[in-house]
Amino acid sequence: MVRVTLDNVSKFFGKVKAVVDLELEIRDGEFVALLGPSGCGKTTTLLMVAGIYKPTRGRILFDDEDVTDLPPKDRNIGMVFQSYALYPHMTVYDNIAFPLKLKKVPKQEIDRKVREVAKLLQIDELLGRKPAQLSGGQRQRVALGRALVKEPDVLLLDEPLSNLDAKLRILMRAEIKRLQKELGITTIYVTHDQVEAMSMADRIAVMNKGRLQQYADPQTLYNKPANLFVAGFIGSPPMNLIEGSVVEENGAYYFVTPSFKYRLPKEIGELVASKTSDVILGIRPEDIRIVIGDGDDTAINGKVYVVEPLGRDLLVNVKAGDTLFKILAPADLQLESGQDILMAPDERKIHIFDKKTGKAIV
Amino acid sequence: MPRRLGRKVLPFLFLAPMLLMIVLAWVAPLILTVYLGFTDLSIKNLLAFIKDFFTDRVQRTLENFRRIFYAKDPNIGETLRVTVLYVASVLSINAVYALLLSIAIAYFTKNELISMILRITWLLPRITPGIIYALMWIWFIDPQYGLLNKMLQAMGVPDGWLPDSWLLRKPYSQMLMIMINGYVGASFGMIVYTAAIKSIPPDLVNAALVDGASEFQVARRVIIPLLKWPILFVTAWQTLSLLSSYEYILMVWGAGSGGQYGIARSAGVMVWSLYSYTKAFSEYLYGYASALSLILVVIGLTLIVLYFKIFGFKRLMEPSRVEV
Ligand SMILES: Nc1ncnc2c1ncn2[C@@H]1O[C@H](COP(=O)(O)OP(=O)(O)OP(=O)(O)O)[C@@H](O)[C@H]1O
Ligand SMILES: [Mg+2]
């Protein structure tokens, strides 16, 4: 097992900047998710770690060894591709045995290892089949088996669950996480599904347009998003983000929009006002309380617009002037469209971002 | 009602010119060939034959086939040997060498520009008019002025090894025949192969590299197995087309027994189809020539039936598909 370090790595395809100045360290045995929208450079990053692409700039280290110029076959990596990339002309058995055959492992040992991995992944019944005769979930296991059989130092998984149905995906999520912990292999897991990343990874690297946005554990990412992109990307339903400005009146600080005015806690107000006045306020749907009747003086007036029952909760759309808030409320709350209510944001859960740079101030 | 009728008739109306072409260019000659093959038509009885066309007065005979199968024609054995040599050697260039070349060009050459230039080099003979291609070879191999001998000398081939005439001296003439047809024929295989190689998902190659394969192992264990159908396809079609092709040999060596270039037989490059051509157009033995052609037609049709059995119709018509 190794520690993987990406030292200021960039990859350009002609004019396309797929990855820009990526700094990332994955600890020995750690499970890191690369999370970001389509085209943000996740696969490119993986292929650089695998040695398929050579970085345009920067170095890649396994422990303290510089592997930037090492060909893939000398890196001892296991990889599951987005498309699985099983060899269509080989049986499941031969697919899994392929990395060992290339290593010139003795036949008997190959056989033992292939059967062992097949058993672990519950595909021992399928060894004689060709990939075309497998379901998506089975193919995914075979691909995983092929990656694991050589006992790699680093495991790279490129959206391995994206082709599976929702139920199987949740099942395999737990399975992969258990397997990773059991084997203790340093793992990079690419996904654009934030729930997948949050539920599986020790740490998450959020990427956008080739650049690293934030690298932290799931809780930190959720509670302290470093910028607007992360704030909007993590969490479902997404955080409410409202443009406005911070002004001071008689020693109190207010967040002001054309639709409403909201009094900020004094410390937050002071901090923000000392930096900028054009800001974006962020508050998660579950951090706003709906109050019917009288509330305290910081509450915002609103009108219920639409109520979407989600089963466990209600997703309430509330309009304050022209601004739409999404609020998660207990399922038993009785609300009607057009009803006047008060919104009480949890002061401790407020985020404020600089509108110009998008960086978090609070 | 008229509309529905139109729907049934219209496609045939549109297809009519092509169907007519097929009938005129293929079916009619085939019937004629079969018919002529069983007659003793030659320049001597041509006028009488035309007068009696398809009547009882035309003498029907098996003599032509007796000449072929009982080896009454002393050239048959040699022609057969040359044909087998020709088809087998050119085929191995067109199917096997073209495969190696395609892998070299489409996989090992990572630079797109160089890859394209190499591909065009091999396409050149295909897009050059045949007669010019043939002339270029004739100039190229001229023992006195041609480049070939000079190049070979420069490469250190001793003078004693070089023939006084590439055209006439066996086995050099046969090597030349193979080269001329191999070079022009390789492009077909290469087009099919390079398209097939390019259609292999890059992930598959990447997976093999990550699994620990060298570039060479990727070619041998992933790319070539995936090209199974394209290889069979090219082999099948090329066999058919080689059996009936003689135009470059004709252009370089000439036909018949006389004339400036009428030296194909003595040069040992007289293939079956050219032999049939010679019988028809320099010896004017139309009946015998038809019988010779007919044998090629029968072999060709047998092969086609065989291919359809092996491949199925769809695979035969979709050359570049790689099954993934
Ligand atoms: N071989 C290539 N040549 C040119 N551009 C490329 C190449 N590979 C990727 N790109 C570009 O680089 C960017 C990042 O691509 P990448 O495949 O890494 O995205 P991704 O994050 O994996 O997306 P997805 O979630 O859709 O798989 C994209 O804009 C893509 O078009
Ligand atoms: Mg990708």
Side-chain angles (χ1 to χ4, degrees):
Chain A
M1 312 299 124
V2 299
R3 179 182 77 244
V4 178
T5 312
L6 284 88
D7 180 13
N8 215 20
V9 168
S10 302
K11 179 70 190 176
F12 305 152
F13 297 104
K15 283 210 173 80
V16 181
K17 299 189 169 181
V19 175
V20 185
D21 298 335
L22 182 59
E23 283 280 352
L24 208 61
E25 192 193 78
I26 297 109
R27 293 185 207 117
D28 188 353
E30 195 176 20
F31 192 135
V32 164
L34 275 185
L35 176 63
S38 190
C40 73
K42 306 181 296 286
T43 299
T44 307
T45 306
L46 272 204
L47 290 178
M48 283 193 289
V49 175
I52 302 289
Y53 290 157
K54 192 172 154 20
T56 311
R57 280 203 305 261
R59 299 184 310 156
I60 295 171
L61 304 161
F62 286 3
D63 285 335
D64 294 319
E65 187 196 354
D66 187 339
V67 298
T68 316
D69 294 316
L70 221 53
K73 67 185 171 69
D74 299 328
R75 296 194 184 197
N76 197 23
I77 276 177
M79 180 159 177
V80 175
F81 288 78
Q82 212 162 350
S83 57
Y84 302 148
L86 299 178
Y87 310 119
H89 56 290
M90 298 182 197
T91 60
V92 168
Y93 183 98
D94 288 332
N95 262 281
I96 299 176
F98 189 62
L100 299 178
K101 279 188 191 152
L102 292 172
K103 272 190 182 175
K104 303 226 165 7
V105 175
K107 263 220 167 71
Q108 282 182 342
E109 205 177 327
I110 292 182
D111 192 63
R112 189 179 57 75
K113 285 192 172 169
V114 169
R115 290 184 193 285
E116 197 179 293
V117 165
K119 196 150 192 195
L120 182 73
L121 294 167
Q122 296 162 12
I123 45 175
D124 32 359
E125 310 276 288
L126 309 172
L127 288 174
R129 292 203 204 165
K130 289 272 178 73
Q133 303 163 316
L134 301 177
S135 74
Q138 291 168 334
R139 280 180 211 191
Q140 191 255 344
R141 283 163 201 253
V142 176
L144 199 57
R146 188 179 61 183
L148 289 174
V149 77
K150 61 198 262 202
E151 292 162 18
D153 291 330
V154 183
L155 185 61
L156 306 175
L157 306 170
D158 194 354
E159 310 210 21
L161 306 184
S162 57
N163 294 334
L164 307 185
D165 66 51
K167 210 169 139 193
L168 194 57
R169 201 178 315 171
I170 292 172
L171 210 74
M172 286 308 294
R173 220 152 72 187
E175 201 98 311
I176 290 178
K177 185 169 177 172
R178 181 187 61 81
L179 215 63
Q180 192 269 341
K181 287 292 164 234
E182 210 172 281
L183 303 172
I185 306 176
T186 312
T187 301
I188 308 180
Y189 184 101
V190 161
T191 176
H192 60 244
D193 179 347
Q194 46 138 338
V195 181
E196 221 168 270
M198 300 283 280
S199 63
M200 294 171 82
D202 299 324
R203 280 196 290 173
I204 300 174
V206 182
M207 291 180 69
N208 187 34
K209 297 189 179 147
R211 287 173 194 276
L212 183 64
Q213 304 293 315
Q214 190 172 4
Y215 185 32
D217 61 274
Q219 279 313 310
T220 311
L221 222 51
Y222 193 78
N223 295 326
K224 292 196 165 44
N227 57 36
L228 272 174
F229 177 81
V230 178
F233 195 75
I234 304 278
S236 169
M239 187 185 278
N240 296 293
L241 295 168
I242 303 141
E243 264 182 53
S245 50
V246 172
V247 293
E248 191 203 338
E249 274 172 34
N250 312 325
Y253 292 89
Y254 294 92
F255 174 75
V256 184
T257 77
S259 323
F260 67 92
K261 193 166 158 183
Y262 169 68
R263 198 176 86 205
L264 293 167
K266 197 156 171 62
E267 324 80 72
I268 295 179
E270 268 174 0
L271 181 65
V272 175
S274 69
K275 295 201 169 146
T276 179
S277 67
D278 284 342
V279 297
I280 288 171
L281 179 130
I283 180 91
R284 293 208 181 272
E286 65 269 33
D287 295 334
I288 305 176
R289 205 160 39 85
I290 292 182
V291 184
I292 304 173
D294 286 344
D296 62 45
D297 57 344
T298 60
I300 304 162
N301 288 305
K303 226 188 222 333
V304 174
Y305 187 59
V306 186
V307 180
E308 305 170 47
L310 300 180
R312 203 172 30 156
D313 339 74
L314 296 177
L315 182 61
V316 188
N317 293 257
V318 179
K319 271 204 160 170
D322 289 335
T323 311
L324 185 73
F325 284 85
K326 296 206 174 245
I327 301 171
L328 278 178
D332 54 3
L333 197 66
Q334 296 294 325
L335 289 170
E336 282 165 32
S337 295
Q339 188 178 348
D340 284 313
I341 51 124
L342 288 171
M343 294 181 282
D346 183 342
E347 287 179 353
R348 293 162 305 167
K349 301 284 177 68
I350 285 174
H351 306 270
I352 291 182
F353 304 93
D354 187 326
K355 193 176 155 191
K356 267 208 291 294
T357 63
K359 292 229 165 69
I361 304 173
V362 178
Chain B
M1 200 53 190
R3 187 187 281 178
R4 201 171 289 165
L5 196 68
R7 204 171 255 187
K8 273 188 188 153
V9 173
L10 264 183
F12 289 100
L13 203 65
F14 289 136
L15 282 175
M18 204 186 74
L19 292 176
L20 194 72
M21 293 268 287
I22 291 178
V23 169
L24 285 180
W26 212 80
V27 179
L30 182 64
I31 292 171
L32 204 61
T33 308
V34 174
Y35 183 59
L36 295 186
F38 289 94
T39 68
D40 63 344
L41 178 63
S42 73
I43 190 95
K44 286 183 208 129
N45 56 8
L46 183 63
L47 284 178
F49 180 83
I50 292 175
K51 213 160 51 198
D52 301 337
F53 203 46
F54 277 108
T55 63
D56 282 344
R57 266 166 293 168
V58 172
Q59 254 216 316
R60 263 157 287 166
T61 165
L62 286 174
E63 182 53 27
N64 294 330
F65 296 97
R66 266 185 223 120
R67 277 168 86 179
I68 297 169
F69 288 113
Y70 299 153
K72 284 191 185 162
D73 180 343
N75 296 317
I76 284 292
E78 169 75 359
T79 306
L80 192 64
R81 269 193 297 279
V82 172
T83 307
V84 170
L85 172 77
Y86 169 75
V87 173
S89 327
V90 178
L91 188 66
S92 67
I93 293 183
N94 291 356
V96 181
Y97 182 65
L99 172 69
L100 301 181
L101 213 59
S102 304
I103 293 176
I105 289 174
Y107 178 63
F108 285 108
T109 313
K110 306 287 180 196
N111 185 321
E112 279 295 322
L113 187 70
I114 295 176
S115 164
M116 201 165 70
I117 291 171
L118 286 175
R119 250 178 283 179
I120 289 173
T121 322
W122 281 88
L123 270 178
L124 271 179
R126 183 54 57 117
I127 54 182
T128 313
I131 189 68
I132 292 180
Y133 177 69
L135 275 176
M136 287 193 340
W137 271 102
I138 291 173
W139 292 328
F140 185 59
I141 55 159
D142 188 287
Q144 265 190 317
Y145 310 107
L147 267 175
L148 180 59
N149 277 4
K150 299 231 164 59
M151 270 166 53
L152 290 174
Q153 276 163 349
M155 278 158 61
V157 179
D159 280 356
W161 291 14
L162 296 175
D164 52 350
S165 164
W166 277 91
L167 277 180
L168 279 172
R169 186 75 58 223
K170 275 198 270 185
Y172 295 93
S173 53
Q174 289 170 330
M175 276 157 59
L176 186 65
M177 163 184 79
I178 293 164
M179 278 193 287
I180 291 176
N181 286 284
Y183 187 22
V184 69
S187 57
F188 174 73
M190 286 183 52
I191 290 169
V192 173
Y193 292 145
T194 46
I197 292 172
K198 293 284 172 195
S199 74
I200 293 175
D203 267 3
L204 226 45
V205 171
N206 290 345
L209 290 172
V210 170
D211 281 344
S214 62
E215 299 273 5
F216 178 75
Q217 282 169 320
V218 171
R220 198 171 74 83
R221 310 193 68 148
V222 177
I223 294 181
I224 291 181
L226 287 179
L227 295 183
K228 188 172 107 193
W229 288 113
I231 291 169
L232 280 174
F233 173 83
V234 168
T235 310
W237 279 121
Q238 288 292 77
T239 312
L240 279 184
S241 89
L242 282 173
L243 272 178
S244 58
S245 79
Y246 58 86
E247 58 273 22
Y248 293 106
I249 304 177
L250 176 64
M251 280 187 267
V252 175
W253 278 275
S257 39
Q260 191 187 357
Y261 288 114
I263 50 177
R265 184 178 304 145
S266 56
V269 296
M270 181 65 88
V271 295
W272 195 281
S273 52
L274 183 61
Y275 189 56
S276 162
Y277 173 94
T278 311
K279 286 290 162 203
F281 298 108
S282 13
E283 295 176 29
Y284 309 112
L285 299 170
Y286 304 119
Y288 186 44
S290 295
L292 286 166
S293 296
L294 202 54
I295 286 174
L296 280 186
V297 171
V298 170
I299 294 176
L301 286 176
T302 315
L303 283 178
I304 287 179
V305 171
L306 208 67
Y307 294 160
F308 272 75
K309 278 258 158 65
I310 301 173
F311 292 94
F313 182 75
K314 256 184 97 177
R315 281 212 183 98
L316 206 58
M317 294 300 153
E318 292 173 4
S320 60
R321 272 281 300 280
V322 169
E323 271 167 60
V324 177

